[in-house]
Amino acid sequence: MIPSPAAGQGQRVRWYAHGYNRAEFYRLAAAITWLPRALRLRLAGGVGRLVASLMPRERAAVRKTLSVVTGSTGRELDALTARLFSEYAMCFSDLLSTNREPPARLMAHVRSVSGVGHVDRLEGAVVCVTAHVGNWDMAGRLLASASARPTHVVVAVEEAIGLERWVRRDGDGVRFVSRSTPTVALTLMAALRRGEAVAMQGDRALGNSRDVAVTFFGRPAPFPIGPFRLASAARVPIVGAFCTLGSHGRYDMTVCPPLVISPGSEEDTLRQWVGELESLVRERPTQWFNFFNIWNPFEG
């Protein structure tokens, strides 16, 4: 287990924050949603490259991660770093606009769907674990639509007041559930017992005893064990799901084969899922949007 320094001192763990995570910037981004999508994505991509120069801390963290993931150096590494910020801005632009469309219209923005049959063949409940890769919100909505299961998406509370209405929207079979709600575990267990789906992020450590060290690109990194303990307790399979944006402006949806958790094998299953994540990040390194040191997320 890897507790953070803050957790070890009995303090509340806090992620980094920056001045751009404010409602006025969300309103500014939403103001261009009326533009044709192709033009909007090009504009967002350009803004993303500009913002990278205004966020030296995050840019340094991204550059370090990309150097480990790709082995790139020099100008090639600089280009990959700029591209990651650009692609993040494009996915963020879709979060405020395209993602709000009905499921039938969302499919018009999808180029390929791989592995959805894994979920279709499952009977009953399932825990879906995704990551901050590409458009993870769309991944949840597409999976909810494809599986025809009500899907409960577990999210952290937005610390910046006024942001939730921009990034969270119930409906179309998706319901957002705050991780900080005292009865969240009971709510999720009840949903799984009804044969529904629970979707969770699996790539950001919590800074407490629920983190487990897993080798990620050759180095130990903390990952949360919670989704795997939940699936084990409910005796349901774990399914990895990811949605990445291609250069063509359309998304590729990937659903991994189900992972069945036997009693006591939660950590082994977590390592399998991290292996799936590593393979995807290796393939699409500029689509993994974590702007901190994944191997030591609570440093400083």
Side-chain angles (χ1 to χ4, degrees), residues 183-197:
T183 59
V184 64
L186 296 176
T187 298
L188 300 179
M189 283 296 293
L192 292 173
R193 286 170 179 160
R194 292 193 300 267
E196 298 172 356

Side-chain angles (χ1 to χ4, degrees), residues 119 122-128 143-144 147-153 173-175 177 186-199 230 234 236-237:
V119 177
L122 293 175
E123 295 183 3
V126 62
V127 173
C128 301
L143 197 59
S147 69
R149 292 175 177 86
T151 299
H152 304 261
V153 180
V174 174
R175 174 176 176 254
V177 181
L186 296 176
T187 298
L188 300 179
M189 283 296 293
L192 292 173
R193 286 170 179 160
R194 292 193 300 267
E196 298 172 356
V198 170
L230 175 66
V236 301

Side-chain angles (χ1 to χ4, degrees), residues 254-270:
T254 302
V255 180
C256 302
L259 301 175
V260 179
I261 304 179
S262 57
S265 68
E266 294 87 355
E267 292 190 14
D268 289 337
T269 309
L270 167 61

Side-chain angles (χ1 to χ4, degrees), residues 145-188:
S145 175
S147 69
R149 292 175 177 86
T151 299
H152 304 261
V153 180
V154 182
V155 295
V157 175
E158 286 289 351
E159 293 189 350
I161 297 175
L163 297 188
E164 288 198 357
R165 73 185 185 93
W166 298 102
V167 297
R168 312 258 163 85
R169 182 182 65 81
D170 290 346
D172 299 322
V174 174
R175 174 176 176 254
F176 289 97
V177 181
S178 173
R179 191 176 62 206
S180 64
T181 303
T183 59
V184 64
L186 296 176
T187 298
L188 300 179

